[in-house]
Amino acid sequence: TQSCKKSGSYDSPALADYIPLSVGKFIRYRMDSTRFIFFGQKDTVISYQAKDVVDAPITDNLGRQGWRIIRYLSDTNGTAPWKPAGSYMVIPTREAVEVVDNNLRFIKLKLPVTEGFTWKGNAYIDTYSEESEVRYLDGWDYTYADLSQPFTSGKGVTVENTVTIKQRDEVLGTPSDLGFYSQKNYSVEVYAQGIGLVYRNFLHWEYQPPDGSKPGYKEGYGLKLTLIDHN
């Protein structure tokens, strides 16, 4: 059943419905990682199985309660031993769900969960200073779409009661014109009630044009997560 939370004048599914957290809960994905190799001359996709497991309750540096999630990787068939490949934190608050990954703090979900509601999901991330390596994350508007719709993953798994979060779909410059700089940023996530994140597709690259005898090249990365199963 869908729980609703009244806050002010809106009814909304509770955020905890979309990202249930308890020790031992896991979601298993196919993970496709895009990298640019040969000095940015070629892009390649490396695929794995990834399993995100809720490891333990934690307290963040603001004193808030949250959860540590450990990501394990195996080969694409899931037959190789699972090896830990990093961790991130999920901090559920009354009005939002934050994820801290690689010291970047994202506001992944926010009340109310209603069609078209939008918020600045990267508001806590330093996109301004000269030291920032993630300026491309500046000003992203996260927007709910396709509320309560079923979603079928690329692995043929269909889940009910999802919400899509459109985060960015941006092209700067003209990528087909290799004489000039261009950039692409694309990010979308899908959460299912009772499961959590069931799909993620992220891509960021920048193209630097030729400079004298130096050829043009791309730098950046992409990550796609597609639900296989969960407990």
Side-chain angles (χ1 to χ4, degrees):
T1 59
Q2 174 174 299
S3 65
C4 283
K5 169 172 179 160
K6 270 193 190 284
S7 180
S9 60
Y10 60 78
D11 283 337
S12 165
L15 297 181
D17 291 358
Y18 289 105
I19 192 158
L21 296 163
S22 59
V23 171
K25 176 167 176 56
F26 72 83
I27 307 178
R28 189 160 57 95
Y29 306 97
R30 177 185 172 95
M31 183 171 105
D32 299 307
S33 175
T34 299
R35 292 287 184 270
F36 297 95
I37 59 173
F38 297 122
F39 303 101
Q41 302 301 301
K42 186 177 186 299
D43 60 292
T44 185
V45 176
I46 305 167
S47 297
Y48 309 87
Q49 277 195 23
K51 184 163 65 173
D52 287 10
V53 182
V54 181
D55 175 61
I58 52 91
T59 303
D60 77 354
N61 57 6
L62 298 174
R64 302 175 305 172
Q65 298 301 305
W67 301 85
R68 180 171 60 237
I69 317 294
I70 296 181
R71 172 164 293 167
Y72 297 87
L73 295 182
S74 178
D75 61 9
T76 50
N77 296 319
T79 52
W82 291 97
K83 294 184 177 178
S87 65
Y88 58 94
M89 289 191 301
V90 178
I91 313 293
T93 70
R94 197 171 66 86
E95 297 287 330
V97 174
E98 297 177 13
V99 170
V100 180
D101 192 6
N102 286 323
N103 294 318
L104 300 175
R105 185 170 149 212
F106 300 89
I107 308 165
K108 293 288 192 177
L109 296 163
K110 191 172 175 67
L111 287 178
V113 185
T114 55
E115 190 80 20
F117 179 72
T118 186
W119 70 98
K120 297 292 185 186
N122 302 343
Y124 294 130
I125 295 172
D126 171 19
T127 57
Y128 300 101
S129 73
E130 289 186 16
E131 298 81 37
S132 175
E133 298 179 355
V134 290
R135 291 188 179 188
Y136 63 88
L137 293 176
D138 186 55
W140 286 23
D141 291 306
Y142 288 29
T143 305
Y144 289 132
D146 301 325
L147 180 62
S148 301
Q149 295 300 305
F151 178 82
T152 300
S153 80
K155 303 303 289 180
V157 180
T158 298
V159 292
E160 303 299 323
N161 288 327
T162 71
V163 63
T164 296
I165 302 167
K166 296 179 177 179
Q167 298 172 343
R168 196 67 153 183
D169 189 358
E170 169 186 60
V171 175
L172 304 177
T174 307
S176 59
D177 189 340
L178 300 181
F180 294 92
Y181 173 88
S182 60
Q183 182 181 149
K184 180 177 176 67
N185 298 301
Y186 179 81
S187 190
V188 64
E189 294 184 339
V190 179
Y191 290 82
Q193 288 195 21
I195 301 174
L197 179 73
V198 295
Y199 180 76
R200 181 185 187 205
N201 190 358
F202 171 91
L203 179 64
H204 161 72
W205 58 252
E206 295 180 47
Y207 171 76
Q208 302 290 348
D211 181 9
S213 61
K214 185 179 179 182
Y217 65 95
K218 279 182 180 176
E219 54 188 357
Y221 70 102
L223 184 70
K224 185 186 289 187
L225 296 171
T226 307
L227 174 71
I228 296 175
D229 68 9
H230 63 92
N231 65 352

